[in-house]
Amino acid sequence: MNKKVAIERVLELRDLIDRANEAYYQEAMPFISDRAFDEALSELRELEESFDLGTEDSPTLRVGGKPSESFVTVEHPQPMLSLDNTYNEKELRDFDKRVRDRLGDQPFTYSVEMKFDGASIRLRYEDGQLIVGATRGDGERGDDITENLKTLKDIPLRVDEVVLKSLFLEIDSDWDDDEEDEDNRNPSFVFEVRGEAYMEKEAFVRLNDFREEQGLPPFANPRNSTAGTLKMQDPREVARRPIRFFGFDLIVEGRPSPPTQIEKLKRIGDLGFPVNPDYRLCRSVDEVLDVISEWDLSRHSLPFETDGAVIKVNEQHYRAELGTTSKSPRWAIAYKFQAEQATTLLEGITLQVGRLGSITPVAELKPVTLAGTVVKRASLHNEDEIHRKDIRVGDLVTVEKAGDIIPQVMSVVDADREERGKPFQMPLNCPACGEELVKLDEEVKWRCINPECPPQIRERLTHFASRDAMDIEGLGEAVVSQLVDHGLVHTFADLYQLSAEDVEPLERMGKKSSKNLIEAIEKSCTQPFQRVLFALGIRFVGKTVARDLAFHFRSMDALLEASEEDLCAVPSIGPKIAGSLTAYFDHQKHHKTLEALREAGLQFEMPDQTGRDSERLGSGDDESETGYRWFLEGKTFVLTGTLPTLSRNDAIDLIERYGGRTSSSVSKKTDYVLAGDKAGSKLAKALKLDVPVLDEETFLEMIQNQVGTT
């Protein structure tokens, strides 16, 4: 392979891995097996090293996915690293050899724990009180999902003080609760428990049965349902889901940690957290392999999904000596059970259209039983992957289904037979709407960019109506599907032509629900310009980019006239985003939709320097003239805790309306911290750095006073 070919393959692998990370961590809808993901990552790492193609943003240097934009981002005090994976005895023995080479003759043991198929989280406690619960995110930062995690019955909100003091005293024999100095008169017990949130198999089946009864799409597997549940915006909905938790790591701040992993697991249990009792202490790699063989046979009878075993050097004091890479610890590794495979006939290849128009080839298979279910379809990923594996209709193919996710075609069994079918050729037009397909940037996937393409309409409308976009209450997936199926809505603008009489005949609607929905649609016309931009669902344009575009260009007309060079003048906009914006605005059908939305009354520009603005300020006088001033321009706010009357989105809207911006972390550059009930470490850091702290009342008074003086 020459360097040119290597560069092309590296770009292809990075695109695949980035999309797989986004599907796994952000959307909880993976399309590739763990094994295939690891193989792609390994191939990418090898190519980067062999041809000196490594970059700072390569997925080989990242743990997982970027934190979601739907939650506040928190930094992990200690990184939440991922584990390297092994799939056979040789690879595990290689790991054992590396450990022994580094430790020399020093005696050590291994702890062996089941690898749960769920979502990794961390729980931070201060003086026994749960302060922060977060996802792993990218390993350095994750999503703050504390309120959601508080609904999990397995997670204690408070640890008994007597138990806490007893354990801290046993861990650190030099610590004395009776010391007279101020620090020990008011001791601070700070620790973190890290573990896995998961869903049991039977509960998962019941949840999917319920979703199907409600006309909702079923989850692909327990892991997806768990990840999706933890990212829900309403903790009350999370509480209705049967999420469980197992702890597997304990970090004590400011005092020694328990001396071994086995001791950590016991301490986690003593603190009141569930711990899977089936962990083992092994004195050799042969004992480890015996345990793995035992669990591989028994795993299907467990009430939860497990896809392997986690092997760790048991003794804590060796971990610093063994160290870590940028991504994984050298003192631990995961052994993944072999995925189940089957052989069957590839009867055809069809094309599936995604939300943003990506075209995914799908294998239509002769039905075959795999991992306990009948498989009829499997992912083929993209055109290049089909050609690389030389997959053709009529081939006998190997199909793999790891962790109950979407099956995929791994290879062709009879590639050397005579009279094979013709090589696959991607059509020039979209199979759903007939629009010409395009390739954007250096992507390997073809896309349909027609905004009226039927398979895309449902997902686009759902995004348009979502909480962070137009926030249309009552317009969820089920209602959107009915509106599209009944031919009532084809574009965003069609929503604003609906009447209560149009909606009332739909299932589960009725007069009151129909009236409420139409009122919610009409109310959405008041959403600010930056939300309208985000709601359009333009590729790469998230909430932050939409806000920056709105504040820079001030109106839709100015944005439509902007060149790629003009767009790149915005600090947060690079060539990739600029190209996506120009491609979107160059499409004639998008122009028609935008004009229809303008006529419907949506906000297509930022407010003038003077004008009316009494909303949310409590003036009580809708007719009063209030001045408008960008008095928060250049000011950075950090939000923490729960405000008495304003939701987080309401507070952010007010800050941005008057020219300010929000950040997820407190630093010396922070201008204000807006704090509510149960404010945690951010408030403490603000006080330490002398950053001004506002409560909701003071914040609203500040805005009212400034607006009223103009």
Side-chain angles (χ1 to χ4, degrees), residues 19-20 22-32 218-220 224 406:
R19 288 187 293 106
E22 181 177 358
Y24 183 96
Y25 290 99
Q26 302 292 96
E27 302 169 4
M29 292 293 289
F31 61 84
I32 185 174
F219 287 112
N224 293 350
I406 300 171

Side-chain angles (χ1 to χ4, degrees), residues 196-357:
E196 198 86 354
Y198 68 97
M199 187 176 291
E200 293 184 334
K201 295 175 183 177
E202 289 187 9
F204 169 72
V205 172
R206 291 195 301 270
L207 175 62
N208 264 354
D209 288 343
F210 173 77
R211 288 179 66 83
E212 289 180 353
E213 288 174 3
Q214 300 299 312
L216 300 171
F219 287 112
N221 55 51
R223 178 177 62 190
N224 293 350
S225 63
T226 300
T229 296
L230 294 180
K231 294 294 187 71
M232 296 177 75
Q233 294 294 313
D234 189 347
R236 293 170 298 181
E237 290 298 321
V238 179
R240 297 188 180 103
R241 301 283 181 86
I243 305 295
R244 305 296 306 273
F245 175 77
F246 276 140
F248 56 64
D249 195 15
L250 174 64
I251 298 173
V252 181
E253 192 169 289
R255 293 183 174 85
S257 292
T260 67
Q261 176 64 20
I262 298 296
E263 185 68 19
K264 279 188 177 185
L265 295 173
K266 292 177 181 177
R267 298 291 185 187
I268 293 170
D270 291 340
L271 288 167
F273 297 85
V275 174
N276 180 33
D278 203 5
Y279 55 83
R280 307 290 177 85
L281 175 65
C282 296
R283 290 172 173 78
S284 69
V285 70
D286 291 322
E287 290 185 16
V288 171
L289 287 164
D290 288 342
V291 173
I292 289 172
S293 297
E294 176 188 337
W295 288 352
D296 195 8
L297 293 174
S298 64
R299 61 187 169 115
H300 296 296
S301 62
L302 295 172
F304 51 83
E305 294 284 351
T306 176
D307 58 352
V310 176
I311 301 95
K312 302 173 184 175
V313 173
N314 186 39
E315 290 75 17
Q316 179 76 21
H317 63 275
Y318 288 139
R319 295 187 176 183
E321 186 174 343
L322 290 166
T324 66
T325 67
S326 62
K327 181 174 178 288
S328 307
R330 292 191 179 96
W331 44 264
I333 202 162
Y335 182 98
K336 302 292 285 289
F337 296 132
Q338 291 295 319
E340 296 190 45
Q341 293 186 336
T343 300
T344 189
L345 182 68
L346 176 62
E347 297 182 330
I349 296 176
T350 56
L351 301 177
Q352 194 172 61
V353 185
R355 178 175 77 86
L356 294 177

